[in-house]
Amino acid sequence: MARELPHVFSIPAGLPFLPTLTDALLSGRFGGLGDDPLALADVVIFLPTRRAARALHEAILERSAGRTAILPEIRPIGDVDEADLLLQPFETPADRLVLPAAFTPLDRQLTLARLTAAWSGALRRDLLGLSGPGTPLIPASAADAFHLAGDLARLIDDVETAGVDWRRLDNLVPENLARYWQISLDFLKIVAEAWPAILAEKGRADPSARRDRLIRAEAARLKATAGNRIVLAAGSTGSIPATAHLLATIARLPRGAVILPDLDQQLDEIGWNAIGGPDLAESAPAHPQYGLRQLLAAIGIARREVEALGAPVQAVTARRRLISEVFRPAATTEAWASSGAADPEATKGMALLVARTEQEEAVAIALALRETVETPGATAALVTPDRRIAGRVAIELARFGIAVDDSAGRPLSTAPPGVLARLVLAAAASDGAPLDLLALAKHPLAHFGMERARCRRAAEILDLHLFRGRPLPGGLARLEAEFAALDLPEEFHEPAGELITRLVAALMPLKASLLQRDRLSVSALTAALLGALKEVSADEAATESVWTGPAGGALEALLEGLTSEAAGELLLRGFEYLPLVDAAMAAVAVAGPPIADGRVFIWGTLEARLQSVDRIVLAGLDEGIWPSEARTDPWLSRSMRLAFGLEAPERRLGLSAHDFASALATPDVVVTRAERRGGTPTVPARWLQRLAARLGPEPSAALTRRGHVYVEWARALDTAEMVRSIRRPEPRPPLAARPRQLSVTEIETLVRDPYAIYARRVLKLQPLDPLDVVPDAAMRGTLIHEALGEFGKSWSGPYDERALAALIEQGRLAFVPIEPYPAIHALWWPRFLAIADWFIAWEAERGEIAARHAEIGGAWTLPDGFRLVGRADRIDLRRDGAVEILDFKTGNPPSAKQLSTGLAPQLALEVAMARAGGFPNIPAGASVATLGWIGLGSVGKGEPFRSAVRDRSPDELGAEAAERLAALITAYADPARAYVSRARPMFETRFESPYDHLARVSEWALGEDGEGEA
């Protein structure tokens, strides 16, 4: 009696899968439909993904144009890779009536994170003091435990999917394993007992086990009730045993059929048998046909008995033959020698694009896609597993105004609602760091119960007047007091004060939760986050909401999951919560906005399955990108997995290879790679290396030449005909706009960088103070100057112990701003005490001083009306009528040579001002006997005084400085004199201007060095 064969078909690669399937269905290949418009409604079609199901709906509608029909029932089976989506549902409401509800993926990962964290804590205590190569990697935080729990969840899925008994762990011999794997094995044995107990206690089912039971139940239902209904399963490779069982059942139904994607019927039997068999140790799981070979064995049908659907043209047939040979198992590649050269038709329509960098690759891909859609109605798609490439290409396509349908969307952590949640957490965790607070206040979804424009204006007021140029100790608790101390106009004070009050009120409860010492549950911390988010996003006008749209819905679902019972059982310290939320958000994808008539698509390898376009670009064909590195299991080594009965990690490489091989058969295909990524040289993907080896040197070079066209376009796109460096800016403002008053320090700036004076005094551009100021060396110098200056102005008695006490008291007052920084205060205060001891002793020895003038300001009007102003640290009158001018420096003072040459003219100009009577209480014409710097940084290390006099007296230096100043002012009284940038560039390492970016110094500097045209 003849055996009744299962009904198994294959659609060859190179043919559009879903349109070919639709044509076969409507033509009666799987059973006649007749003219009954209800006939299609009785058809059931199983597809691997939801995207494929939607695409098949569209294909049937397109092919049924003008006909009245009810569409068939199209159901996604679900793919093993979809389990990686943290919020992906595993069940329908009807399923809950059949089996216990499944753990959601997030609940399961939180529960496993609790187990992992508890294990790591106990293990850390046991191994305290141990180190070296045998020490296991222990999760150091809740986020680490969460990530490790994700790997553990995947291992549980693998075990349930493969139907392996956990008791087989007992067969693994710990003594044969490294120390790490011994510890891992001990923990897995605990999990094998604890996980079923947790499921029983919660009344839940494991998601993967429940999925398999539902799939097998569906197979039994179809077997019993399908009757004469047409039941099709298309596009699945049966990578899950339960799915393979369902496919085998469908294949044996009276009107059932399984349609495989790209079964290789070109490969000879020797090569086919070399792919592998039931013995996992001798399999080749990285081969693209490995999964289909296993599926055919499960169905019980030979490869030769599978029928092909559709008739590919000669070029497609030649391409498929080439791909089959390229992927021939390594053990049989000697057949290449006898198979002859590849058919030239096989590479027709194929190009290999090799770029120098990933950015050049992205531009070239964008141009290749644009070339296709220049043809009306044509479609193109980029397929890559690397989201960085996809993002770069999307940006480049936007240059041309091309809308992109990106299937992967974006991570929740980068979507506006996710960013807002992370900013709220960051601002609370940092106790109100200025950068965090401003980023939060300026976020478009942050309203704080205010009208958005008013909130934004208030944020800008706080930016300019509260957060810049000064430290803000005390955190959130001191913000309102710090703001109240500001002297602001009422129109500024009122909105900014309201924002500060609301901001502090919103963040304080969350801050208290995050910064307390005790461990809190994830659900309690999430409740605090939700409360803060509610206050931050409150919008009286209800114009925008953090919870609207796909991203808002995803954030709401995630935070709801983080308040579940499982989240309530996971305890952590507050500082661990933000990394945990980041880890959870990274696993949540948000769909992009729908595109009505998009013709350019970006697909991941999963989304690209069964899809078809006119041109397909396969990008990132470098080792580690595509194919990606085999996912290493932190719980079981490769040999342990095989001994346990699980497939090797290379199984996923086989699925990836099948995706690549199927897409490579597209008639118009561009394959791309970059020679360097992130500055690091890359290695071509193993598949490209095999393709080059099979084709030979000349055909491979021809492929590269075709792809190089797009590289040349990319290079030409942003290349100007002539690169000409800009010239150094030479602004010449009218004389009326030029400054007629400068300080002595600004004279040095005028000498070194006239453009800075132009920007500040003519354009009236004041540089913004930095945000988030912390005590630094400049602040230390300011505080010490303040203490010495206040002491010098107030003290008139002898320089004894009382003077030292008075100076120390002035120091205490000056150092108040850094008291909230105990570590810095502990370093700076002893240094100040040493300076105070030296200073009092130094003053006590200066009996020749008749009067001391600290922080004395003065002004000098030159004959032409120009006014020079300045403030000297110290000008002292001696009893003999001479003057001493001293400048205190906590850093390195200039050299005497720089002063004498006019490049550091401050002290010399002070001499000129003093002799001209520019300082009050300093007699005009008095001779300057001492001129120099007091290096406070040298106290205790050497002589603090450094003379500014080299080969001329102070009076002579003052006279020369006066002459130079007059000449300088006269020069800038000429309308033709320009305020050039960096007039003294040899000192640019010491002298930096906040206006260099406006002068575009980085652009013209190279040109003037002879490396470009000026």
Side-chain angles (χ1 to χ4, degrees):
M1 182 176 178
R3 176 172 70 95
E4 183 180 352
L5 291 177
H7 309 130
V8 183
F9 301 85
S10 173
I11 296 179
L15 294 181
F17 188 93
L18 296 178
T20 302
L21 173 63
T22 302
D23 290 340
L25 173 64
L26 297 180
S27 66
R29 184 67 181 269
F30 310 115
L33 297 175
D35 297 326
D36 184 0
L38 300 179
L40 271 178
D42 202 36
V43 176
V44 180
I45 305 176
F46 292 91
L47 292 173
T49 64
R50 292 174 177 82
R51 174 175 285 270
R54 291 192 297 268
L56 182 59
H57 265 119
E58 295 171 2
I60 293 176
L61 287 173
E62 181 181 347
R63 296 269 192 303
S64 302
R67 294 172 52 187
T68 301
I70 298 179
L71 292 177
E73 179 184 357
I74 304 177
R75 299 175 58 183
I77 303 174
D79 191 280
V80 65
D81 289 341
E82 290 186 349
D84 289 340
L85 302 179
L86 198 62
L87 299 182
Q88 181 72 35
F90 281 95
E91 56 191 49
T92 66
D95 294 335
R96 298 190 182 99
L97 302 177
V98 181
L99 295 171
F103 259 123
T104 66
L106 179 57
D107 274 355
R108 180 174 65 160
Q109 195 160 340
L110 289 170
T111 302
L112 293 175
R114 176 168 58 87
L115 291 178
T116 304
W119 164 73
S120 65
L123 184 60
R124 190 178 293 108
R125 289 190 295 272
D126 292 343
L127 297 178
L128 190 63
L130 297 183
S131 61
T135 304
L137 299 175
I138 305 171
S141 67
D144 290 343
F146 186 80
H147 285 298
L148 203 55
D151 292 314
L152 181 57
R154 279 186 283 272
L155 176 59
I156 292 174
D157 284 341
D158 289 346
V159 172
E160 296 293 345
T161 297
V164 176
D165 191 336
W166 283 100
R167 287 175 293 185
R168 293 188 63 174
L169 287 173
D170 297 332
N171 298 333
L172 303 181
V173 182
E175 291 75 13
N176 296 339
L177 305 175
R179 173 66 171 151
Y180 174 81
W181 298 116
Q182 293 179 27
I183 295 172
S184 174
L185 182 59
D186 291 340
F187 176 63
L188 289 180
K189 291 178 180 178
I190 296 173
V191 171
E193 296 178 3
W195 182 238
I198 292 173
L199 294 175
E201 177 188 353
K202 305 293 185 183
R204 296 294 185 92
D206 186 84
S208 53
R210 190 178 194 281
R211 174 205 61 203
D212 288 353
R213 290 182 63 184
L214 288 173
I215 291 176
R216 292 181 184 277
E218 177 66 11
R221 187 187 69 81
L222 288 173
K223 185 175 181 180
T225 64
N228 286 324
R229 294 184 68 186
I230 296 177
V231 181
L232 307 179
S236 176
T237 60
S239 55
I240 299 174
T243 304
H245 174 71
L246 174 63
L247 298 182
T249 301
I250 292 174
R252 294 186 180 278
L253 293 177
R255 298 182 73 186
V258 173
I259 299 91
L260 303 177
D262 185 30
L263 176 66
D264 185 359
Q265 295 178 313
Q266 309 281 334
L267 186 62
D268 56 47
E269 286 299 317
I270 295 177
W272 179 255
N273 292 330
I275 293 175
D279 185 355
L280 294 177
E282 298 179 0
S283 298
H287 193 278
Q289 294 291 311
Y290 175 82
L292 291 178
R293 192 183 190 286
Q294 300 295 90
L295 177 59
L296 291 182
I299 294 176
I301 188 173
R303 181 178 56 147
R304 63 179 180 277
E305 297 169 334
V306 177
E307 299 182 49
L309 291 180
V313 298
Q314 178 183 355
V316 172
T317 302
R319 178 80 59 81
R320 289 174 53 233
R321 188 180 301 113
L322 171 63
I323 295 171
S324 176
E325 286 297 315
V326 167
F327 284 96
R328 172 180 286 277
T332 66
T333 50
E334 70 274 3
W336 286 354
S338 59
S339 58
D343 188 340
E345 287 290 324
T347 56
K348 186 177 181 180
M350 184 191 298
L352 175 60
L353 189 161
V354 181
R356 287 181 295 201
T357 66
E358 63 267 44
Q359 179 58 28
E360 186 176 83
E361 179 188 21
V363 177
I365 291 171
L367 290 168
L369 296 171
R370 179 185 176 183
E371 181 188 40
T372 298
V373 297
E374 289 292 326
T375 303
T379 57
L382 165 66
V383 178
T384 179
D386 190 340
R387 289 302 306 164
R388 292 169 298 181
I389 297 176
R392 287 176 182 268
V393 172
I395 292 171
E396 294 300 327
L397 287 171
R399 297 173 64 181
F400 310 128
I402 297 177
V404 181
D405 184 352
D406 190 347
S407 65
R410 62 194 300 188
L412 175 59
S413 57
T414 64
V419 170
L420 180 67
R422 296 173 69 236
L423 288 175
V424 168
L425 278 171
S430 67
D431 194 13
L435 281 171
D436 295 329
L437 290 180
L438 280 178
L440 174 60
K442 293 184 179 183
H443 192 282
L445 293 178
H447 302 277
F448 296 94
M450 304 167 64
E451 194 271 329
R452 180 58 201 159
R454 176 180 171 85
C455 179
R456 178 72 186 201
R457 180 168 177 264
E460 291 172 352
I461 293 171
L462 295 176
D463 182 353
L464 293 174
H465 298 282
L466 178 62
F467 292 130
R468 289 189 179 270
R470 60 192 190 126
L472 287 173
L476 290 170
R478 287 283 306 163
L479 268 185
E480 291 181 275
E482 294 283 348
F483 177 75
L486 296 177
D487 184 17
L488 294 179
E490 182 60 29
E491 63 269 22
F492 286 5
H493 198 281
E494 198 272 332
E498 180 183 1
L499 177 58
I500 279 287
T501 300
R502 291 174 180 267
L503 193 151
V504 171
L507 295 180
M508 282 297 282
L510 178 59
K511 169 208 162 183
S513 297
L514 294 176
L515 298 184
Q516 70 171 292
R517 293 174 178 267
D518 296 334
R519 290 176 179 267
L520 292 177
S521 68
V522 170
S523 59
L525 290 166
T526 304
L529 172 59
L530 282 167
L533 267 175
K534 180 180 178 181
E535 297 295 326
V536 169
S537 62
D539 180 11
E540 292 181 351
T543 54
E544 297 174 277
S545 172
V546 70
W547 310 115
T548 58
L555 177 63
E556 186 175 22
L558 177 63
L559 295 183
E560 182 180 350
L562 291 177
T563 58
S564 65
E565 180 183 354
E569 296 171 347
L570 178 58
L571 303 180
L572 44 75
R573 292 177 290 272
F575 66 83
E576 297 179 289
Y577 182 64
L578 176 55
L580 176 69
V581 172
D582 280 342
M585 282 189 181
V588 178
V590 178
I595 297 177
D597 189 27
R599 294 194 291 131
V600 177
F601 307 90
I602 295 179
W603 293 327
T605 55
L606 173 63
E607 293 82 11
R609 294 174 188 173
L610 313 187
Q611 305 293 323
S612 57
V613 288
D614 295 301
R615 166 175 283 179
I616 197 164
V617 178
L618 308 178
L621 267 297
D622 294 306
E623 283 295 313
I625 303 295
W626 196 7
S628 61
E629 297 178 355
R631 178 185 285 175
T632 56
D633 191 336
W635 298 108
L636 290 175
S637 67
R638 187 180 189 280
S639 61
M640 292 170 69
R641 287 180 64 91
L642 292 175
F644 187 35
L646 299 177
E647 289 185 327
E650 290 82 4
R651 176 70 181 91
R652 286 182 178 269
L653 295 183
L655 296 174
S656 182
H658 187 272
D659 293 335
F660 174 73
S662 298
L664 190 64
T666 304
D668 187 355
V669 59
V670 179
V671 182
T672 79
R673 63 171 299 262
E675 294 175 332
R676 302 181 75 89
R677 295 190 185 277
T680 303
T682 61
V683 176
R686 65 195 72 175
W687 305 325
L688 290 186
Q689 296 182 48
R690 290 176 68 90
L691 177 63
R694 179 64 188 90
L695 287 176
E698 182 51 39
S700 296
L703 285 182
T704 305
R705 285 194 296 270
R706 291 177 209 154
H708 194 66
V709 172
Y710 303 108
V711 176
E712 291 177 340
W713 291 354
R715 292 172 183 171
L717 185 64
D718 296 318
T719 301
E721 293 184 3
M722 178 184 299
V723 178
R724 182 179 295 275
S725 299
I726 67 169
R727 293 184 178 276
R728 185 194 304 250
E730 299 178 353
R732 294 176 175 82
L735 293 181
R738 302 191 179 200
R740 297 295 294 164
Q741 174 178 304
L742 294 174
S743 69
V744 290
T745 54
E746 287 178 314
I747 295 301
E748 179 177 354
T749 304
L750 185 62
V751 171
R752 293 180 180 277
D753 188 14
Y755 185 89
I757 298 298
Y758 165 75
R760 182 189 294 269
R761 294 295 187 176
V762 178
L763 299 182
K764 310 297 183 184
L765 299 176
Q766 300 299 320
L768 285 175
D769 291 324
L771 278 170
D772 206 6
V773 172
V774 295
D776 57 6
M779 180 177 287
R780 182 185 63 180
T782 300
L783 298 182
I784 293 174
H785 270 78
E786 180 182 342
L788 294 177
E790 292 298 321
F791 171 78
K793 288 186 288 186
S794 61
W795 185 257
S796 58
Y799 291 91
D800 52 16
E801 292 297 327
R802 291 188 304 111
L804 177 60
L807 177 55
I808 291 175
E809 181 60 26
Q810 288 293 344
R812 293 188 194 280
L813 295 175
F815 275 56
V816 166
I818 67 166
E819 286 181 354
Y821 306 93
I824 295 176
H825 191 279
L827 289 174
W828 290 4
W829 183 247
R831 186 64 187 156
F832 175 76
L833 293 178
I835 290 173
D837 284 336
W838 172 86
F839 183 80
I840 296 301
W842 172 69
E843 287 283 29
E845 295 174 356
R846 301 175 70 218
E848 73 278 9
I849 303 300
R852 294 171 171 84
H853 301 282
E855 297 292 329
I856 180 173
W860 175 32
T861 302
L862 275 65
D864 65 352
F866 181 86
R867 182 178 172 84
L868 180 68
V869 297
R871 179 175 296 276
D873 285 352
R874 285 289 294 272
I875 300 182
D876 297 342
L877 280 175
R878 298 197 330 194
R879 299 184 188 280
D880 60 5
V883 173
E884 292 187 1
I885 298 179
L886 302 171
D887 191 34
F888 294 108
K889 294 290 186 183
T890 54
N892 293 323
S895 66
K897 180 179 180 181
Q898 290 176 346
L899 186 144
S900 64
T901 56
L903 291 172
Q906 179 181 346
L907 283 183
L909 288 174
E910 290 178 6
V911 171
M913 288 180 64
R915 290 182 59 77
F919 290 104
N921 301 318
I922 304 299
S927 176
V928 178
T930 302
L931 182 67
W933 298 278
I934 302 294
L936 298 177
S938 301
V939 171
K941 304 176 183 177
E943 174 57 45
F945 176 75
R946 178 186 294 182
S947 175
V949 178
R950 188 178 184 185
D951 51 6
R952 277 159 289 180
S953 69
D955 293 344
E956 292 172 333
L957 289 174
E960 288 183 1
E963 291 176 2
R964 287 196 181 100
L965 176 63
L968 188 65
I969 300 308
T970 300
Y972 280 96
D974 181 359
R977 179 64 176 251
Y979 288 81
V980 299
S981 175
R982 291 296 183 109
R984 298 291 185 271
M986 68 287 293
F987 293 103
E988 63 185 26
T989 56
R990 175 180 176 270
F991 185 84
E992 296 181 358
S993 168
Y995 301 101
D996 282 348
H997 65 294
L998 294 178
R1000 298 168 69 180
V1001 170
S1002 298
E1003 297 182 46
W1004 58 257
L1006 286 178
E1008 293 203 344
D1009 286 341
E1011 297 184 22
E1013 295 186 27

